[in-house]
Amino acid sequence: MRRRGMSGDLKWNKIMGACLGTAFAILVVQQVSGMVYHTKQPEKMGYFVDAPDESAAGAAEEVLPIDWGTVLPTADLAAGEAAFARCQACHTVNSGGADGIGPNLFAVVGGPAMHRAGFAYSDAMSKHKAEAPTWNYDELDHFINAPGRYVPGTKMSFAGIRDENTRINLIAWLRTQGSGGYAIPAPDPARQPGAAAPAEGEAPAAEGDAATEAGSAPADAPAADAPATQATNPAPQA
């Protein structure tokens, strides 16, 4: 009986010794591998990312306003009509057409803002009208590009048309819908590539001024307040 008890004690001693030996071996391996595979921070990074500072970013080339006297005569009217097809959920464009979610857009190009009696315009549009009472080419372009950014607070929830050619074609087609009397201005060298920047304190000529010199909108033609958009989900606007 005593020999059997001693045998059992030796068995457990062997197991504990094996566990301790294994743990010791693991620690030794870790120490040795740390010395053999020691990593050192490189003095020079392998890739250099050249991030321009704010002063360099501010020197980016200024985008010139659209030269309507050059682009409108060559605009694609069919493409403009196709673009307006995406606006019909909110707007009508026929003469005497009823207002929808947005106002009727007959004779919108060159027409006055907020012409539709009884239409629920936003306070933001009323404020904007005091600053820009006419939907000239520049005004339409800026508004269609980003309605909510150009007229903060407008009810028009459309994100805008970012593609410049699409906006040009759309505005050119809208001009054929009751706004033919609103003249296309002469080509403006100040809006063409390579044009010299205006002198300090001198504001560039507005598109509306050039259009007024060439001609004006017919006095008897009604006009709409908001331009057509490519909205997919109808939303109230002003």
Side-chain angles (χ1 to χ4, degrees):
M1 295 293 295
R2 182 175 178 78
R3 182 177 299 176
R4 182 177 300 175
M6 292 178 63
S7 176
D9 292 341
L10 290 174
K11 178 181 179 181
W12 285 108
N13 288 339
K14 291 178 180 179
I15 293 174
M16 293 178 63
C19 292
L20 291 174
T22 302
F24 179 75
I26 292 173
L27 291 174
V28 172
V29 170
Q30 287 179 342
Q31 294 296 326
V32 173
S33 15
M35 292 185 292
V36 173
Y37 299 102
H38 176 67
T39 57
K40 183 179 180 181
Q41 184 72 18
E43 296 181 0
K44 184 177 181 181
M45 300 302 293
Y47 298 95
F48 173 71
V49 179
D50 185 12
D53 56 19
E54 293 183 0
S55 59
E61 183 179 355
E62 183 180 359
V63 178
L64 293 172
I66 297 173
D67 181 15
W68 298 104
T70 300
V71 300
L72 287 178
T74 59
D76 187 340
L77 297 180
E81 182 177 10
F84 183 78
R86 293 168 288 184
C87 312
Q88 292 176 346
C90 299
H91 298 280
T92 61
V93 73
N94 56 306
S95 177
D99 295 330
I101 295 174
N104 174 271
L105 298 178
F106 182 77
V108 64
V109 183
M114 299 180 63
H115 72 291
R116 302 287 289 184
F119 188 82
Y121 294 100
S122 66
D123 293 339
M125 184 59 69
S126 299
K127 180 180 178 181
H128 183 75
K129 177 185 177 181
E131 302 171 354
T134 303
W135 284 119
N136 60 35
Y137 298 118
D138 283 338
E139 283 293 315
L140 284 170
D141 180 62
H142 295 324
F143 188 74
I144 295 173
N145 179 55
R149 184 174 62 192
Y150 194 61
V151 182
T154 178
K155 294 179 182 179
M156 187 169 173
S157 59
F158 173 59
I161 300 176
R162 297 293 184 266
D163 182 69
E164 183 175 285
N165 286 332
T166 300
R167 298 197 306 272
I168 291 171
N169 293 333
L170 177 57
I171 291 171
W173 182 79
L174 284 172
R175 182 177 174 273
T176 67
Q177 307 303 303
S179 298
Y182 188 65
I184 296 176
D188 186 355
R191 292 177 173 232
Q192 297 172 6
E200 185 176 355
E202 179 183 352
E207 167 270 320
D209 296 338
T212 303
E213 293 176 3
S216 58
D220 58 346
D225 170 74
T229 66
Q230 55 179 179
T232 56
N233 295 320
Q237 66 181 47

